[in-house]
Amino acid sequence: MTSPKYHKSASKDVRPFFEAAALEEAIEGAQIRLFESQPFTDATSFVIEEQEIPRLALVVKPNLSESTLAGGTISRSKLALAVTVVNPFLKKTVLVQKASLAKAAPDEVVIGAEVLESLGGGSNVTVEVALCLASALTKQVGKPFMEGHWLSKKAFDLRPPKPAEDFGVDPMDDAGWKAMGFPPKTLYHVEYFGYVNETANKDRPIAKVYVHSDVYKKLAADNLPKLSRPMMAFLAAEIPCQILAASFSDWKDADVVEPRSPLSAFLKRIDKVLPCTLAQLKQLVDQPGMPKLRAILHADQQSVRQIAEV
């Protein structure tokens, strides 16, 4: 686990509650612990490697500032502490705990394995600790009034390593598929742009992936773990195959791989499963149907385990 400097935490929303501004820093001291063997930390962004996911044991310390609460214009009895976990890709949120501050605030909030499982495993989630209204108040200018309005918030982002072969994924409905000349129920399509053996650039994606909108929506549904893991493992193995095949003419005569290129990232993924040089990768891609390359990439995504454990 590392704490990268490049990951920017979420910007604060502009809040019109100037009469409650004194409470804005109430959660600033919140901390999180990712693994049982580690101490709590103030850091707000983390990169979670695949092998670290099973060890995640998230615990949050709200560390509410009592002096800040005492100086606020809203009494404790009107406030609540809420801890939520959201998967931003799936747009799914789980409320872990909501505790009224009419009583003492909890010292720690444990985020169980079942919560992370329901959100896809825990490698792409945001844990939010918020001070919010426990119930609705009379509406007044400059003051929060709706139940759940938050006054102070701190977020902890857990993300998987960002691969150099990163690309966008867009939903496509039947009309869109037909307009592109595909059957209306096409599952997915990869549109290759280029630059696979050039230094990765976030402003210059190598490809765009389209997934049928019905499937895209289903992956975000409540039955997420049973369906999404096998499907996402399948796509994560098949899409690189499509890109490597479509880009082959761009790099088949290359003698070296650009170290910070998407092609280098693909090669590293393959090499983790089976040692592979550039020359050997060319042979894998040149095979009709690329059967061995597909097998390697599915092994990398643990496709068998993802399906067998459903």
Side-chain angles (χ1 to χ4, degrees):
M1 184 274 295
T2 56
S3 299
K5 295 180 180 179
Y6 62 81
H7 187 91
K8 180 181 180 297
S9 60
S11 300
K12 287 186 177 180
D13 297 292
V14 176
R15 308 288 285 172
F17 307 140
F18 50 83
E19 287 292 332
L23 294 172
E24 287 183 357
E25 308 302 319
I27 302 291
E28 284 298 303
Q31 296 178 309
I32 193 170
R33 187 182 69 194
L34 303 187
F35 309 105
E36 289 184 355
S37 59
Q38 291 190 337
F40 285 87
T41 177
D42 295 309
T44 57
S45 60
F46 310 89
V47 172
I48 306 299
E49 301 286 347
E50 176 72 23
Q51 66 271 20
E52 293 178 316
I53 296 176
R55 296 197 300 114
L56 285 173
L58 304 186
V59 181
V60 170
K61 273 189 175 182
N63 290 334
L64 272 169
S65 171
E66 293 295 336
S67 60
T68 300
L69 290 177
T73 58
I74 301 175
S75 68
R76 292 182 61 111
S77 62
K78 305 293 185 181
L79 299 173
L81 176 75
V83 177
T84 59
V85 186
V86 57
N87 183 312
F89 175 75
L90 298 168
K91 298 180 177 62
K92 180 180 179 183
T93 301
V94 174
L95 175 62
V96 178
Q97 184 169 344
K98 180 181 177 183
S100 171
L101 295 187
K103 301 178 180 179
D107 292 330
E108 296 182 357
V109 177
V110 177
I111 299 171
E114 70 281 358
V115 173
L116 299 182
E117 179 68 19
S118 71
L119 294 170
S123 68
N124 186 28
V125 297
T126 296
V127 179
E128 293 185 338
V129 186
L131 180 69
C132 57
L133 286 186
S135 58
L137 299 179
T138 302
K139 192 171 182 179
Q140 297 181 43
V141 176
K143 285 189 176 183
F145 55 89
M146 186 182 298
E147 180 180 356
H149 263 164
W150 62 266
L151 308 174
S152 179
K153 183 188 290 186
K154 188 170 184 178
F156 302 94
D157 295 318
L158 282 63
R159 299 289 182 261
K162 189 174 180 63
E165 71 270 22
D166 197 25
F167 38 76
V169 179
D170 286 348
M172 181 69 72
D173 59 17
D174 287 344
W177 287 117
K178 291 170 70 175
M180 293 176 65
F182 287 89
K185 294 302 180 185
T186 298
L187 174 59
Y188 77 100
H189 169 63
V190 179
E191 183 178 356
Y192 172 68
F193 300 144
Y195 326 113
V196 73
N197 197 26
E198 299 179 25
T199 301
N201 185 332
K202 65 178 182 178
D203 298 320
R204 190 183 62 188
I206 63 171
K208 170 70 75 175
V209 178
Y210 299 96
V211 176
H212 196 286
S213 55
D214 291 347
V215 175
Y216 193 93
K217 293 175 185 176
K218 194 70 173 179
L219 291 178
D222 287 339
N223 59 349
L224 164 70
K226 293 184 179 296
L227 175 67
S228 72
R229 286 193 169 188
M231 177 56 70
M232 294 176 80
F234 169 82
L235 291 174
E238 289 296 316
I239 289 170
C241 284
Q242 297 275 353
I243 293 175
L244 288 170
S247 66
F248 191 37
S249 61
D250 292 349
W251 55 275
K252 68 178 181 180
D253 296 324
D255 296 321
V256 295
V257 178
E258 165 61 42
R260 296 165 58 196
S261 68
L263 183 61
S264 174
F266 285 134
L267 192 56
K268 288 176 182 177
R269 282 181 58 182
I270 295 165
D271 194 67
K272 285 193 306 180
V273 179
L274 194 68
C276 185
T277 64
L278 176 59
Q280 290 169 328
L281 178 60
K282 292 177 182 179
Q283 294 175 358
L284 292 174
V285 175
D286 203 30
Q287 290 180 339
M290 301 179 292
K292 191 170 183 179
L293 177 61
R294 280 193 157 84
I296 292 171
L297 288 170
H298 277 285
D300 172 62
Q301 293 300 311
Q302 302 184 49
S303 295
V304 171
R305 182 175 68 82
Q306 302 292 2
I307 295 171
E309 293 183 359
V310 170

